[in-house]
Amino acid sequence: MSYLSLTDADREEMLAAIGVSSVAELFGQVPPGVRLDRPLDLPPALGEAELVRHVEELAARNVHTGAELSFLGAGVYDHYVPSVVDVVLSRGEFLTAYTPYQPEMSQGVLQAIFEYQTVICELTGMDVSNASGYDGCTVAADACFVAKHARPDRPKVVLAETLSPQVRQVVKTYAPGFGLEVVEVPHTGGTTDPDRLAETAAGAAAVFFQQPNFLGCLESAPDLAQAAAQAGALAIAHVDPMSLGVLEAPGEYGCAIALGEGQAAGNWQSYGGPHYGFLAAKSEFMRRMPGRIVGETVDLDDRRAFVLTLQTREQHIRREKATSNITTNQTLLALAGLATLSWLGPEGLREVGEECLALAHYARTRLPLEPAFDAPAFKEVAFRTPIPAREVVRRARERGVHPGYALGRDYEGMDDVLLVALTEKRTTADVDRLADVLDEVCA
Amino acid sequence: MPATESYPAELSYHPEHDWARIEGEEATLGITWFAQDALGELVHFEAPEVGSTVAQGSPCGEVESVKAVSDVIAPLSGEVLEVNQKAVDEPEVVNEDPYGEGWLIRIRLSDAGEADSLMDAAAYRAHVAEQ
Amino acid sequence: MSGEPGGVWREAPLLFERSRPGRRAGRPPRTGLPVPELPESLRRTAPPRLPELSEPELVRHFTALADRTFGVDTGFYPLGSCTMKHNPRVHERLAGLPGFRDLHPHQEDEAAQGALELMWHLQEMLAEIAGLPAVTLQPAAGSQGELTGLMLMRAYFADRGEERDTIITPDTAHGTNPASVTMAGYKLEKIETDARGNLDLDDLRSKVNERTAGLMLTNPSTLGLFDEGIEEVARIFHDAGALLYYDGANLNAVVGISRPGDMGFDIVHYNLHKTFSQPHGGGGPGGGPVAVRETIEPFLPSPVVVRDGDVFRLDHDRPRSIGRVRGFAGPFGVFVRAYAYMRAYGPGLREMSEVAVLNANYLLARLKDVYELPYDRLCMHEFVLSARSLKREHGVTALDVAKRLMDYGIHPPTIYFPLVVPEALMIEPTETEPKERLDDFVEAMRAIAEEAATSPEVVHEAPHGRPVRRLDEVRAAKQPVVRYLFDEHPALVG
């Protein structure tokens, strides 16, 4: 099957107009020494029906969260994705448009991005948001680049150990190219001690912490932000968008930058992507923001209009001095996030947050396992398991339940710790079922 | 309203489209008509710090339009005495009056001899014609 | 095709302007469980001012915005170097299958065999297309692929104990190349393009030395021209012990015709959202996998998908890996679409590139007498024209031409890039366009050139038929308003 539109007659006419007798002549500029002289060794072509059948067969071999009661979280969450998201994802104009460099052709996308930027600023208490980054990990690397330029005499960033392991890994991959040293602050009892953080942050450009943290615990975030400020470092909070109806906005407690993984707000889990990273900052960082920014203006007739602005930050103009190399971002997924947060509204978001708190609390008391940490929990609770957590997972799955994420692969001494996630899609009956299964497998 | 094309005879010019008005041991620096025309309406002037040093041929600030950003290249070396706050607050003044109200930086010269390496108006005009 | 500005198009209020206190659409499920009180210091003090709308309002809002947006689904979109080809609709159905859509990335490998197998086959097919054996699917977009490639170079030379600090790019390079060079901590050296549109080999020889880590090049270049001296270019770099990096932005020209690995490239990134039909989504998502030579394979980001007989798994045990560049294994939904695309064409994928090049050359042949062609050669999948003579003779610029094309129902090509061509118009039709759309474009471009001579004001004041006329971009940059200012409601009108 191909998606080509030319007929044989078309091709004849076109070759004649060009003045060549065959398509092969058009490739005369490719030196013979580099030409491929055989067909590509690819599997045979499939028509649409056969293609669908083949791919459906692949999809059927995956155990998804509809087929198994799942308490997996650890960075990607099974929140409800409302049908209104389909209005955005399936309209061909949104789906198939490119970056809105020609504003007169793209007012719809530009306005939607402006609305998204507004929503992100509202959630985080910040002044400027970009139009999205790749994911919750890479926006942290982006923020390191911002911090580096804001504090060029402090080539160091500090990461709380309770920041997602994947986020920390990505920061460490990017840091050498930025010329930044990366230092981690170990957790104490599942959270980060502000004094320890302040000590480690001496001479750092920025401090990153996560709220709620990767272990499900609520940090004393305002104290952490203050500790960063004391040390002269920028406080950067990695936050869960679905928590910001009940948790304070980072901009209100002294953070310079707020960022995170947007997936929980409006994206399917989709085996890890595509999702969207969000990044927002106080206005003093506007000119150093990476990524696209949409601004409001007027047209020649004084009509309100939207346009990409401050483009001189970006690679296509500033090239080697750009604030980032990012071009393609995650717009469509960010707009799905906008649709979801609009569907929820402030009341709905608060309710989701309350459910995440309530279910976490219920799980703590209901499940036959010891919570690993004392700190209050949001959406995820870490439990000690009497046998290795990985074994709990294996046995529970045999009973049709995925009990959660085994933390041992990321944290030393936590081979017996299981991270159980509970979004608003989980019911008390679900938790009761998990309790029964855990009773059986941990006996 | 941008200015009409001109290259005042009393100024000295650097091939990277910057001018200098030398007044004894000091000089006033800016970008030429050609530079502001190529950039379009300026929206931002990133000025160097007062007290910092600039070197001939090296960047001493940036000017930005909506679609482009350009280094301001110092035609002469010296210490920055003053930056034009009007250019910072209303960058479009550089388009309107690039040699007058749109001046960018005033420096104390560190090497008066450097002036000999600059072009006069006629030479610069010829240079621009080749662009 | 000019409409009355504002007449055909409805006003599009912001979500915040449609919002009414107390209105809502969604109601999350409630368990009725008691909600534990949060410590006061952590509690939200002021609720976020999210829109308060009903579902009917929300649907109408996004529908109105879609109506004000032009996509490939709407019409011809010849944006050079972006490869705006048709996005097959079956892919949306496939990416939305519950077995993919609802699959958690931390699911056990044995319960994700379908996903892992798809990824493994995608790796294999991409390797075949590049002519390089090892592939990572992790990078999220082309730019990230570039950065990954540069980090791989760094790791490769560090492993060999060689200190190399410079990357060479041509003056026609896409801005992402130098930006990536900086982010990777390298220094940049530029080389010139000669009159034929190839890399200037003398300039190159003078700049390649033992401090050179490598070249970043797209081939064909952003001029749409295949570098006829590529074999010599590769020799120059390899003789100096340096590496060659292929920017896959223009891969649509050569799939099945010439493989970057055979051209001499050691590292290749692909743009799944260009060559392999992932929809552009108004700016993203994309996918930027990277293929490398065997010698560089150990440094690939972790994890990679490996196969043990009939079993597929994620291999995290990669001690020499540069680390992780993105969360999880990559943008999986994008892989589903790219995989399906390649399975649809099969070994006949070559025809995609052949027709892309045919379509571009047809446009070039029919426009080169009306606009300036800076390089008098057959092109590959895209070509660059200059509107310089229109500017000189009639004061009509590439920007004006672009804006006037909108009135003909056509999305403008890329303008003012590459930088080496003044008043540049970079045109890439792609292979999915029918001949009639190409002819429409030719008619429109010829008509505009005519208008430039006879009625330039029409061109200067274009577009006339879009929801808005030209915008005050200066104002947007000088007084940035980057979110809805609830408290201030700035009166921008007037």
Side-chain angles (χ1 to χ4, degrees), chain A residues 18-62:
Chain A
I18 297 165
V20 295
S21 51
S22 69
V23 167
E25 267 186 71
L26 299 174
F27 290 97
Q29 60 193 285
V30 178
V34 302
R35 287 192 207 157
L36 186 64
D37 53 10
R38 58 167 176 79
L40 285 168
D41 182 15
L42 296 175
L46 299 173
E48 184 169 322
E50 301 129 286
L51 176 64
V52 169
R53 184 180 172 145
H54 164 65
V55 177
E56 279 178 344
E57 191 276 323
L58 289 171
R61 281 195 268 137
N62 302 322

Side-chain angles (χ1 to χ4, degrees), chain C residues 305-469:
Chain C
V305 182
V306 295
R307 176 179 203 164
D308 289 323
D310 282 332
V311 175
F312 300 89
R313 64 185 179 83
L314 288 170
D315 179 18
H316 288 94
D317 182 20
R318 303 185 51 81
R320 298 209 280 162
S321 163
I322 57 172
R324 172 182 285 288
V325 298
R326 187 206 174 279
F328 307 105
F332 179 77
V334 177
F335 305 154
V336 174
R337 295 176 178 90
Y339 174 79
Y341 195 66
M342 287 188 237
R343 292 306 318 261
Y345 275 94
L349 194 56
R350 181 193 167 105
E351 200 183 4
M352 170 187 83
S353 291
E354 288 176 342
V355 176
V357 170
L358 174 61
N359 279 356
N361 275 288
Y362 176 68
L363 288 180
L364 189 163
R366 294 203 54 204
L367 288 172
K368 68 181 185 188
D369 59 318
V370 180
Y371 292 82
E372 266 184 50
L373 182 66
Y375 300 90
D376 194 7
R377 279 172 61 175
L378 291 172
C379 65
M380 299 288 284
H381 68 312
E382 68 187 0
F383 61 100
V384 182
L385 295 174
S386 172
R388 183 161 55 170
S389 55
L390 259 65
K391 182 174 182 190
R392 224 175 324 163
E393 287 157 40
H394 310 294
V396 166
T397 62
L399 181 79
D400 293 324
V401 173
K403 301 300 182 191
R404 185 60 179 146
L405 267 169
M406 297 177 186
D407 293 331
Y408 288 86
I410 295 170
H411 192 286
T414 304
I415 50 174
Y416 298 107
F417 184 80
L419 304 171
V420 298
V421 175
E423 301 301 321
L425 295 152
M426 192 207 289
I427 296 160
E428 181 185 358
T430 83
E431 73 284 1
T432 52
E433 293 302 321
K435 182 170 171 296
E436 309 86 273
R437 296 292 77 75
L438 303 180
D439 290 335
D440 285 347
F441 179 68
V442 169
E443 298 311 315
M445 289 288 282
R446 297 181 80 93
I448 295 169
E450 182 70 30
E451 286 172 346
T454 57
S455 46
E457 7 29 89
V458 174
V459 188
H460 284 309
E461 286 167 29
H464 303 273
R466 296 299 305 167
V468 295
R469 297 184 59 201

Side-chain angles (χ1 to χ4, degrees), chain A residues 84-165:
Chain A
V84 79
V85 160
D86 296 345
V87 178
V88 169
L89 296 183
S90 62
R91 274 297 290 249
E93 299 91 337
F94 287 131
L95 184 69
T96 66
Y98 187 52
T99 301
Y101 289 124
Q102 293 289 358
E104 302 89 342
M105 301 298 266
S106 335
Q107 282 301 294
V109 170
L110 286 163
Q111 180 173 331
I113 295 172
F114 181 81
E115 292 167 345
Y116 162 82
Q117 288 170 186
T118 305
V119 161
I120 295 296
C121 287
E122 276 301 297
L123 291 177
T124 58
M126 294 292 168
D127 304 319
V128 54
S129 163
N130 70 11
S132 73
Y134 303 135
D135 72 351
C137 299
T138 52
V139 286
D142 287 336
C144 289
F145 207 48
V146 175
K148 171 193 158 90
H149 288 284
R151 303 271 191 281
D153 49 329
R154 294 172 152 238
K156 168 176 145 184
V157 294
V158 171
L159 312 178
E161 197 197 6
T162 50
L163 177 63
S164 151

Side-chain angles (χ1 to χ4, degrees), chain C residues 24-316:
Chain C
R24 57 186 297 182
R27 275 173 202 280
R30 307 296 322 246
T31 54
L33 289 168
V35 181
E37 206 177 54
L38 281 166
E40 202 181 328
S41 60
L42 303 185
R43 243 177 264 164
R44 187 93 193 180
T45 47
R49 289 169 294 192
L50 298 178
E52 296 180 81
L53 285 159
S54 63
E55 183 177 303
E57 281 271 86
L58 268 178
V59 172
R60 285 202 177 137
H61 179 78
F62 287 106
T63 303
L65 294 188
D67 282 347
R68 293 161 80 84
T69 302
F70 186 103
V72 175
D73 276 8
T74 316
F76 189 47
Y77 209 127
L79 207 58
S81 261
C82 297
T83 313
M84 304 300 294
K85 63 173 75 183
H86 171 70
N87 307 123
R89 219 35 43 102
V90 67
H91 296 175
E92 302 314 305
R93 195 187 280 193
L94 297 174
L97 290 169
F100 295 141
R101 192 192 70 177
D102 299 331
L103 183 63
H104 194 287
H106 285 310
Q107 178 58 288
E108 305 296 296
D109 284 357
E110 75 239 19
Q113 286 296 294
L116 291 168
E117 179 170 344
L118 186 150
M119 289 173 63
W120 188 85
H121 282 296
L122 182 63
Q123 285 175 183
E124 293 292 295
M125 293 194 287
L126 288 173
E128 165 66 355
I129 286 166
L132 291 170
V135 174
T136 171
L137 299 177
Q138 204 179 71
S143 293
Q144 201 184 38
E146 289 179 27
L147 184 58
T148 303
L150 293 172
M151 293 196 277
L152 288 168
M153 279 198 200
R154 204 176 251 303
Y156 171 84
F157 287 117
D159 187 60
R160 295 162 71 90
E162 290 177 39
E163 289 224 6
R164 291 174 182 258
D165 58 13
T166 308
I167 297 287
I168 295 182
T169 70
D171 50 10
T172 53
H174 196 265
T176 53
N177 293 170
S180 301
V181 167
T182 301
M183 286 176 81
Y186 275 117
K187 291 199 303 229
L188 184 70
E189 177 83 74
K190 275 186 272 202
I191 43 165
E192 290 176 4
T193 302
D194 69 17
R196 196 147 160 81
N198 300 318
L199 293 183
D200 183 329
L201 292 176
D202 291 328
D203 193 25
L204 189 62
R205 281 187 199 99
S206 73
K207 292 182 174 155
V208 176
N209 54 46
E210 71 286 346
R211 307 286 308 179
T212 309
L215 170 72
M216 279 184 93
L217 185 69
T218 187
N219 191 24
S221 67
T222 56
L223 295 165
L225 303 171
F226 196 95
D227 197 308
E228 293 157 324
I230 189 64
E231 289 161 298
E232 180 59 19
V233 170
R235 236 187 317 270
I236 293 169
F237 279 88
H238 288 147
D239 284 350
L243 297 171
L244 281 92
Y245 176 92
Y246 182 84
D247 178 333
N250 291 326
L251 188 63
N252 207 48
V254 292
V255 173
I257 289 147
S258 177
R259 306 192 304 173
D262 299 335
M263 293 178 209
F265 289 92
D266 305 295
I267 309 174
V268 172
H269 94 254
Y270 314 78
N271 295 70
L272 298 183
H273 47 294
K274 294 185 181 185
T275 321
F276 299 105
S277 87
Q278 163 65 32
H280 288 86
V290 172
V292 299
R293 291 223 180 269
E294 233 135 64
T295 43
I296 302 171
E297 188 276 341
F299 310 107
L300 285 178
S302 179
V304 272
V305 182
V306 295
R307 176 179 203 164
D308 289 323
D310 282 332
V311 175
F312 300 89
R313 64 185 179 83
L314 288 170
D315 179 18
H316 288 94

Side-chain angles (χ1 to χ4, degrees), chain A residues 219-231:
Chain A
E219 300 272 9
S220 43
D223 295 331
L224 297 180
Q226 191 170 59
Q230 257 166 249

Side-chain angles (χ1 to χ4, degrees), chain A residues 2-4 21 26 49 89 102 111 131 140 142-143 145 165 194 197 204 235 268 311 313 325 334 341 358 411:
Chain A
S2 85
Y3 298 95
L4 307 175
S21 51
L26 299 174
L89 296 183
Q102 293 289 358
Q111 180 173 331
D142 287 336
F145 207 48
L197 188 74
W268 303 106
Q311 290 189 64
R313 295 164 302 119
N325 66 354
L341 291 164
Y411 292 87

